[in-house]
Amino acid sequence: MDGASDSALRSGAVPDRSQTQPQHRTLVEAPFLKSWIFIGLAVAVGVAYFLAARLSLALVTAPDGVAAFWPAAGLSSGIMIALGSTARVPVAIGVMAATVVANLTGDRNSQAAILFALCNAGEALLMAWLVERFLGPVFGLDSFRRVLGFFLATGLATAISGIGGTAGFALFHPSQTTILTTWLNWVASDAIGIVAVAPLIIGLIHSMRDRPSLPELAEGVLILAVLAVASVIGFGSRMDHWFTVLPFALILPLLIWPAARCPPVFAAAAVFILGLVIVWTLTFGIGRLAEPSVSVANRTLAVQVALLGTSICALVLAALFAERRRQEAALTESSDRLQLALAAGELGVWSLDLKTAHFQCDRRHSQIHRHPPGAEPRTPREAMAFVHPDDKSGLETAYAASQIAGENYKVEYRVAPAAGGLSDERWVALEGTIVRSGDGEGTRLLGVSRDITARKQIEDGLQKSESASRELLGALPAAIYVTDAAGHIIYCNQSAVDLWKAMPILGKDKLSDLAQFRHANGALVQQADGQAEIALERGRIVHGQEAIIERKDGSRVPIIPYPTPLHDARGAIVGVINMTVDISERKKAELALAERNAQFALAAKAALVGSHAYDLDEDHMQVDQGYAALHGLPEGTTETTRTEWRLRAHPEDVHRVNASRAQALLEKRGEHGIEYRIVRSGGEVRWIESRSFMSYKSDGQPQRVLGINIDITERKRAEEQLRVLVAELDHRVKNALATVSAVVSRTQDAGRDAGDFVAALHGRVQSMARTHQLLSGRLWNGVPLSELIDRELTPYATGTNTDIDGPEITLSAKAGQALSMVLHELATNAAKHGALSVRDGRVSVRWRCGLCGDAGAPIGIEWQETGGPSVRDPNTPGYGMEVIRDLIPYELGGAVDLAFDSDGLRCRLEIPAEWQSNGTRSPGTLNGAA
């Protein structure tokens, strides 16, 4: 069959057997093949396929020219199934290339070669896909289902491929043979090639991962060698030689042998060897298949049928034997596990044939019952001789009851004492079950035995200690009672009676008959939700939940019950033991403690004091509410970290605090104190005074720190305020003294007599004193302009000779002091020489703030005198005129316009807006003054 081939390696490789041996990996695990693997695989498959194809073309069917056997199909399909889908592309390329070359080197044209190449590659791809799709990605020959599916996939793939191959012969190499015959020849040659070659390739690759044992390998190789020799002699010799009959007769047993005793790969190898010998002798006319009396077509058909049947039988037998070996191994493993479980549980095994009364037991059962070696009992009567005389009747009664009820047989008894009666008492637990036939009749009694002497001794000890435990429970101050499975009280101590204020009838009363329970909040507890009921009905332990017991007289007592379910040996709940603690005194103490804690927390918050504690080898800190409030932590914070403290501490103080504490620890001081700043979340800076007590381990290593934090921010602010006040006071005293000195000096320079000097000096000092008094009364936060003018004019005002008007303006302390001196000189001059010196004279003072709404406009003050004597500009101005003209520009940076008009003196003053005061002091200044 010119060009029937299938190759496609499936990536992922041979079945990984992940379910049984997860350590094995596939041959090709990458999601794609590397280029050099891709090319090498394609070339290797192409060369092998080409050689197999050329060998097959040596024997073709007549007259259609289809090869009688096409092992190349098995080569490509086997590689593709074994290796997986990743290698399908390079294998398909190798198959197509080899098919084209094999056809072109023969008598086929290019069109036929291409069509046959597509058919061969498609057949292999379809075969691999069918196996993977319906038999799973991991394919092996050790399952009958998989082998059968492999044969069905072979038939379907070759049938579909045969359609294309037949079309190629019909189109490009027509013959007198019918299309059906050509199709059958194609299908037969490909199918035989697949079933003879593909299983061997699959098995070989599978063996690379799961190598057979050395004995299996040696036996399999020997059998294959014998099979090869027998096949060559049997089929290679002519029929007229008598000695060829024996090797020929050995072929069938030699095929069955590896299938029965070796892994399936050896059966596949045997099929391949037999098929190779048969095809070789037929192709080259050697031996009994070269008989000229039989036509080549009939000989070919016979060989095809024989090979197909032999392959199917051998592979099916190999799969069945493999499944049987797995089942035997599983059975052996199960038996080993059973023996291991019996040994671990120290169980003896026994059986009794109910028809023959034949008794059997194992070694451990005999040891438990002290059977003499070699004298094990063989009948129930002999077995009963090893049971304690006092327990034989109970054993017989239990057996009879199990027979009647048809239930399992369970009984406990003592072993008969050994000769002399000096052996220790031995207890045995016997369990058995009746094995019944199909009609329900009991046939065998199977069971196990266990030495329970230790358990019985423990139970006896428990019973002996029960009375002592009851006495102990009765002496305890807590209320303790025990109930049965139905909730009836079967024991209670005196403390329980005192708590309930009632004596229960044991075995009859339940706790609900004596009192009812409420939740800690006073709500009534439903009976099904009671803690004791939960332990009894659900087997769940609920401890530590507070409740209230309400007695029959209505009095209530806070309690904490601790109910615990009691179990028997099988784990079933048989009752509840409950210890109930009266917590009345504790509740009173908790209430008092809570009140004291609340008082302490309020005091700590009010005093801005907080405490903290931490271990030096941990980062966590325990803090109280005062600490949390002081450091700006969320309400209710009870724990923070030292890392978070470092983030809150002022960056300029962190190193100083750490260094100071480290030095204190180094010197092993018991106390440590330091002041530092913290920055709260809103950016507020607070001062902290920290006082700590440090404890040390026995080896001198620091262990724990307990301390308090005190907020000293107000104290620090007061200290800073005092420092500023002292500095400012010093500054102002110096300024005042300097001003007084200058006034005295300039007043004396005027050349007046002593009386005038004293009067002028007194007036000016008085003006300064009034201004100082005015500023002091307002805490140096500034002075209203109207009040300043009014105080200077008041000594000369008669009610109609002054007119003051202007908006509300407050000047800073410095501006008020300077302006008051100027106003004093103006008022003094008006009283002596101006409008205030005569009855009809009048002084008008107006001021404004420049343009309306302009916050930066200067303050304008206008002094106007009318109705007084005529004035003129003095030739030699005195000290007062110098103050009027120069003080405002010099001290405040303002301007002065002084004019001696014919109708009276006029003075315009302009003060920059910056000397206005808002009535508050800025940080770093005292009373608004710089």
Side-chain angles (χ1 to χ4, degrees):
M1 133 181 191
D2 209 82
S5 107
D6 35 23
S7 328
L9 278 170
R10 211 164 60 180
S11 77
V14 189
D16 62 12
R17 297 176 62 194
S18 58
Q19 295 179 350
T20 58
Q21 292 180 329
Q23 69 274 20
H24 291 315
R25 300 298 181 94
T26 57
L27 296 179
V28 182
E29 289 184 338
F32 55 86
L33 294 175
K34 295 182 179 179
S35 58
W36 64 272
I37 298 179
F38 188 99
I39 297 173
L41 186 60
V43 171
V45 171
V47 171
Y49 196 93
F50 174 77
L51 295 177
R54 293 304 303 168
L55 176 63
S56 301
L57 292 176
L59 180 64
V60 298
T61 59
D64 52 12
V66 178
F69 306 102
W70 197 254
L75 176 70
S76 59
S77 298
I79 295 175
M80 190 172 292
I81 293 172
L83 295 184
S85 58
T86 302
R88 287 179 183 175
V89 173
V91 172
I93 293 175
V95 169
M96 295 178 66
T99 302
V100 171
V101 174
N103 278 272
L104 293 180
T105 55
D107 59 347
R108 311 302 185 201
N109 56 36
S110 59
Q111 293 90 336
I114 294 173
L115 181 57
F116 292 153
L118 293 175
C119 291
N120 293 340
E123 179 184 78
L125 291 170
L126 179 59
M127 180 71 184
W129 179 83
L130 288 172
V131 170
E132 180 181 23
R133 174 65 177 80
F134 296 101
L135 302 179
V138 179
F139 181 77
L141 302 172
D142 55 353
S143 168
F144 174 74
R145 172 182 171 275
R146 291 177 179 174
V147 171
L148 181 61
F150 172 79
F151 290 142
L152 294 177
T154 299
L156 181 60
T158 54
I160 295 176
S161 172
I163 296 175
T166 302
F169 279 102
L171 293 175
F172 305 111
H173 298 282
S175 65
Q176 297 178 355
T177 305
T178 64
I179 293 177
L180 179 61
T181 301
T182 302
W183 179 79
L184 290 174
N185 289 336
W186 180 293
V187 171
S189 63
D190 276 21
I192 294 172
I194 291 175
V195 298
V197 178
L200 176 61
I201 295 176
I202 295 172
L204 288 174
I205 296 178
H206 186 276
S207 298
M208 293 173 64
R209 294 184 300 102
D210 188 11
R211 297 180 181 179
S213 64
L214 186 60
E216 287 180 335
L217 183 62
E219 182 180 0
V221 171
L222 179 61
I223 294 173
L224 293 179
V226 174
L227 175 63
V229 173
S231 299
V232 170
I233 294 175
F235 286 97
S237 302
R238 301 187 62 83
M239 296 178 61
D240 53 357
H241 296 294
W242 64 269
F243 59 83
T244 62
V245 176
L246 180 59
F248 191 77
L250 292 175
I251 291 176
L252 182 59
L254 291 174
L255 281 174
I256 297 176
W257 188 315
R261 292 183 52 81
C262 301
V265 64
F266 290 97
V271 170
F272 175 77
I273 291 172
L274 182 62
L276 180 63
V277 172
I278 293 175
V279 172
W280 189 275
T281 57
L282 176 64
T283 301
F284 295 100
I286 302 173
R288 63 180 65 243
L289 292 179
E291 180 62 39
S293 60
V294 181
S295 65
V296 175
N298 288 336
R299 281 181 282 162
T300 300
L301 181 60
V303 168
Q304 289 177 335
V305 173
L307 281 179
L308 189 59
T310 302
S311 301
I312 292 175
C313 291
L315 294 177
V316 168
L317 284 175
L320 292 175
F321 279 115
E323 289 182 344
R324 178 180 176 181
R325 285 193 293 271
R326 284 201 306 272
Q327 293 171 356
E328 290 175 350
L331 181 60
T332 301
E333 182 180 2
S334 176
S335 177
D336 293 341
R337 290 178 178 176
L338 176 59
Q339 292 300 322
L340 182 61
L342 292 174
E346 298 182 348
L347 300 176
V349 180
W350 57 272
S351 66
L352 175 64
D353 192 319
L354 298 178
K355 294 183 178 180
T356 64
H358 180 66
F359 180 83
Q360 287 182 312
C361 63
D362 66 355
R363 179 179 55 84
R364 187 172 289 104
H365 182 88
S366 294
Q367 291 176 348
I368 293 174
H369 288 79
R370 300 194 182 112
H371 296 161
E376 292 82 4
R378 294 290 179 263
T379 65
R381 181 180 296 275
E382 294 177 0
M384 289 292 287
F386 295 93
V387 178
H388 195 284
D390 296 340
D391 296 339
K392 289 182 179 180
S393 59
L395 187 64
E396 294 172 348
T397 302
Y399 173 70
S402 68
Q403 288 282 75
I404 297 173
E407 298 177 348
N408 290 343
Y409 178 46
K410 296 181 180 180
V411 66
E412 295 179 358
Y413 58 90
R414 288 168 293 175
V415 177
L422 299 178
S423 60
D424 296 334
E425 185 179 62
R426 178 175 294 179
W427 279 88
V428 177
L430 197 71
E431 298 183 17
T433 183
I434 300 176
V435 180
R436 303 183 183 276
S437 60
D439 57 1
E441 182 182 2
T443 59
R444 292 176 65 82
L445 186 62
L446 300 178
V448 295
S449 58
R450 181 188 302 108
D451 187 340
I452 60 171
T453 304
R455 194 195 77 189
K456 284 293 184 178
Q457 292 174 349
I458 294 174
E459 290 177 353
D460 184 59
L462 291 175
Q463 290 176 357
K464 291 179 179 179
S465 64
E466 183 176 352
S467 58
S469 299
R470 286 177 178 268
E471 293 179 3
L472 176 63
L473 294 176
L476 292 177
I480 299 176
Y481 68 92
V482 182
T483 73
D484 59 15
H488 300 110
I489 300 173
I490 58 176
Y491 168 80
C492 66
N493 63 358
Q494 185 59 41
S495 297
V497 175
D498 295 340
L499 177 65
W500 302 330
K501 290 191 179 301
M503 174 63 75
I505 301 175
L506 298 182
K508 179 181 178 182
D509 286 342
K510 296 183 177 180
L511 186 59
S512 58
D513 299 327
L514 308 176
Q516 62 181 359
F517 289 87
R518 296 182 178 273
H519 293 288
N521 60 4
L524 188 64
V525 177
Q526 299 299 321
Q527 184 173 354
D529 297 331
Q531 298 180 34
E533 194 71 19
I534 292 175
L536 183 62
E537 297 296 332
R538 309 176 198 174
R540 186 160 58 90
I541 300 175
V542 182
H543 282 174
Q545 291 187 1
E546 296 183 6
I548 299 174
I549 184 171
E550 184 174 343
R551 302 162 174 151
K552 288 297 184 180
D553 60 3
S555 60
R556 298 181 181 182
V557 179
I559 60 170
I560 297 181
Y562 293 89
T564 300
L566 300 175
H567 300 85
D568 60 11
R570 296 172 297 175
I573 299 176
V574 296
V576 166
I577 181 171
N578 192 351
M579 180 181 72
T580 305
V581 180
D582 185 342
I583 59 172
S584 301
E585 296 301 323
R586 196 192 81 181
K587 280 294 184 181
K588 295 177 181 178
E590 287 178 351
L591 180 60
L593 179 60
E595 292 177 353
R596 285 195 294 271
N597 287 339
Q599 293 170 355
F600 177 76
L602 290 175
K605 286 185 177 180
L608 296 177
V609 176
S611 63
H612 64 276
Y614 60 87
D615 291 327
L616 288 167
D617 56 354
E618 294 184 359
D619 192 43
H620 292 281
M621 294 175 58
Q622 293 77 42
V623 300
D624 64 0
Q625 296 183 19
Y627 184 98
L630 194 154
H631 285 256
L633 301 180
E635 183 78 19
T637 299
T638 59
E639 186 173 288
T640 181
T641 64
R642 294 160 65 190
T643 301
E644 293 175 351
W645 170 85
R646 282 189 286 271
L647 296 176
R648 291 193 300 271
H650 198 285
E652 297 177 1
D653 295 345
V654 172
H655 177 72
R656 178 173 58 85
V657 174
N658 289 335
S660 177
R661 182 170 55 240
Q663 183 63 31
L665 293 173
L666 182 63
E667 297 173 358
K668 292 183 172 54
R669 296 205 301 262
E671 298 183 15
H672 172 253
I674 194 171
E675 296 178 356
Y676 63 91
R677 292 166 292 175
I678 62 170
V679 182
R680 306 212 325 184
S681 58
E684 179 186 7
V685 177
R686 307 290 294 182
W687 273 94
I688 302 296
E689 179 183 357
S690 176
R691 301 176 185 175
S692 303
F693 297 90
M694 295 168 285
S695 60
Y696 300 84
K697 301 179 182 177
S698 58
D699 58 359
Q701 294 297 319
Q703 181 178 17
R704 189 167 176 80
V705 174
L706 302 176
I708 60 171
N709 282 180
I710 305 172
D711 190 326
I712 59 172
T713 304
E714 295 304 322
R715 192 190 80 188
K716 284 290 185 178
R717 288 177 179 173
E719 291 175 354
E720 178 64 17
Q721 183 80 356
L722 180 60
R723 186 191 62 79
V724 173
L725 284 173
V726 171
E728 185 66 20
L729 179 60
D730 181 66
H731 173 70
R732 292 192 181 279
V733 169
K734 290 180 180 179
N735 287 346
L737 292 175
T739 303
V740 171
S741 177
V743 170
V744 171
S745 176
R746 295 303 301 274
T747 302
Q748 188 176 8
D749 290 345
R752 302 172 183 175
D753 57 21
D756 292 339
F757 167 74
V758 171
L761 179 60
H762 180 267
R764 288 166 179 164
V765 173
Q766 282 294 104
S767 175
M768 294 173 60
R770 287 193 299 270
T771 304
H772 188 277
Q773 182 182 10
L774 185 60
L775 289 171
S776 297
R778 300 181 62 86
L779 299 179
W780 291 84
N781 286 328
V783 58
L785 179 57
S786 60
E787 191 171 347
L788 188 64
I789 297 172
D790 183 66
R791 287 212 177 195
E792 292 298 332
L793 291 179
T794 296
Y796 313 106
T798 60
T800 59
N801 62 348
T802 59
D803 182 16
I804 301 173
D805 186 36
E808 290 292 333
I809 296 177
T810 301
L811 298 177
S812 67
K814 184 175 180 179
Q817 288 177 310
L819 182 59
S820 68
M821 294 181 68
V822 173
L823 292 174
H824 172 73
E825 296 300 331
L826 288 172
T828 301
N829 184 72
K832 290 182 177 181
H833 311 290
L836 296 180
S837 63
V838 297
R839 181 184 298 273
D840 296 330
R842 184 181 181 84
V843 174
S844 172
V845 183
R846 300 282 191 273
W847 64 89
R848 66 188 187 284
C849 292
L851 297 176
C852 182
D854 188 357
I859 303 170
I861 304 172
E862 184 170 349
W863 178 287
Q864 179 67 55
E865 298 181 15
T866 57
S870 60
V871 297
R872 59 182 178 82
D873 190 358
N875 296 327
T876 303
Y879 172 68
M881 286 300 158
E882 291 180 357
V883 170
I884 294 172
R885 285 175 171 162
D886 300 334
L887 187 59
I888 295 299
Y890 177 78
E891 291 289 337
L892 306 180
V896 177
D897 181 15
L898 183 62
F900 293 89
D901 295 338
S902 58
D903 56 349
L905 183 140
R906 178 183 58 80
C907 181
R908 291 188 179 90
L909 306 175
E910 187 174 283
I911 301 174
E914 63 191 64
W915 296 104
Q916 289 192 64
S917 172
N918 57 9
T920 60
R921 286 179 291 180
S922 60
T925 65
L926 178 63
N927 301 329

